């Protein structure tokens, strides 16, 4: 609602990606799918993408992967039947990018693998075994080093507390 209101207020269609909950249960549309389809047919929003997220892509043989793929394809078919064909369709996170090349769709969402790290060393192998290298590095000069006493709250909210004199 807020995005549609803002879109109307500025006189431009907001470009949005719709997340479909296929089993991660962390975000996205889960219930009232038919109601959403009806709304999407008349919304002033520009639906430029549709996506979901794997819960177990690092576990190549996990039954959840097949079920999530099935649910995603079903929802894509529903959208197409409603005349909604977003140019961007994405489902593959880092583990799925490596384990399931057949479901890449037209874009991927590379996460931890972009930093040259394996999504799961135990299940998928090391970064070297997967041929992963970081896409960038960040370097900075050290700005501050200081000693603080025991019992010193550190960081946002003071959630870390030193237990001994500590150099930070």
């Amino acid at each position: 609602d807020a995005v549609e209101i803002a879109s109307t207020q500025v006189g431009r269609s907001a470009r949005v990606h719709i997340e479909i909950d296929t089993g991660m249960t962390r975000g996205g549309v889960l219930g009232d799918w038919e109601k959403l389809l009806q709304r999407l047919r008349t919304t002033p929003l520009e639906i430029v993408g549709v996506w979901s997220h794997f819960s177990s892509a690092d576990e190549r043989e996990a039954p959840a992967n097949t079920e999530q793929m099935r649910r995603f394809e079903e929802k894509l078919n529903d959208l197409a039947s409603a005349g909604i064909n977003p140019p961007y369709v994405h489902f593959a996170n880092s583990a799925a990018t490596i384990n399931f090349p057949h479901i890449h769709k037209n874009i991927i969402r590379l996460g931890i693998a972009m930093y040259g790290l394996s999504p799961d060393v135990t299940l998928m192998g090391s970064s070297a075994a997967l041929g992963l290298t970081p896409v960038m590095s960040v370097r900075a000069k050290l700005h501050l080093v200081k000693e603080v006493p025991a019992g010193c709250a550190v960081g946002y909210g003071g959630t870390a507390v030193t237990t001994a004199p500590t150099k930070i």
Side-chain angles (χ1 to χ4, degrees):
D1 288 345
V3 174
E4 286 186 49
I5 291 168
S7 180
T8 301
Q9 288 175 341
V10 298
R12 291 180 49 195
S13 292
R15 298 167 44 95
V16 298
H17 287 240
I18 297 171
E19 180 184 5
I20 300 170
D21 184 353
T22 59
M24 182 74 165
T25 318
R26 178 172 78 181
V29 179
L30 182 59
D32 291 333
W33 179 248
E34 291 301 321
K35 185 177 177 181
L36 176 67
L37 284 176
Q38 289 297 330
R39 187 171 180 186
L40 291 177
R41 287 184 180 106
T42 60
T43 185
L45 304 176
E46 183 182 351
I47 312 303
V48 296
V50 61
W51 66 287
S52 191
H53 193 81
F54 278 102
S55 65
S56 306
D58 54 338
E59 301 173 49
R60 193 183 297 262
E61 302 301 323
N65 295 322
T66 303
E67 181 58 20
Q68 283 192 262
M69 285 186 238
R70 185 195 65 73
R71 288 179 186 161
F72 192 61
E73 291 297 331
E74 180 181 273
K75 300 303 188 213
L76 289 176
N77 289 335
D78 290 347
L79 288 167
S81 294
I84 301 164
N85 298 291
Y88 302 109
V89 179
H90 44 113
F91 196 6
N93 54 14
S94 288
T97 297
I98 296 165
N99 282 340
F100 308 121
H102 62 286
I103 57 89
H104 286 182
K105 301 304 181 188
N106 60 6
I107 59 175
I108 60 171
R109 294 187 320 277
L110 205 58
I112 194 167
M114 189 168 47
Y115 301 104
L117 301 172
S118 171
D120 189 309
V121 175
T122 305
L123 296 173
M124 296 180 64
S126 70
S127 300
L130 294 171
L132 299 174
T133 57
V135 298
M136 66 178 183
S137 61
V138 177
R139 291 181 171 82
K141 291 183 178 182
L142 192 55
H143 173 71
L144 172 70
V145 176
K146 69 182 192 178
E147 293 189 25
V148 298
C152 187
V154 179
Y156 291 114
T159 56
V161 178
T162 58
T163 57
T166 305
K167 189 179 285 188
I168 59 171

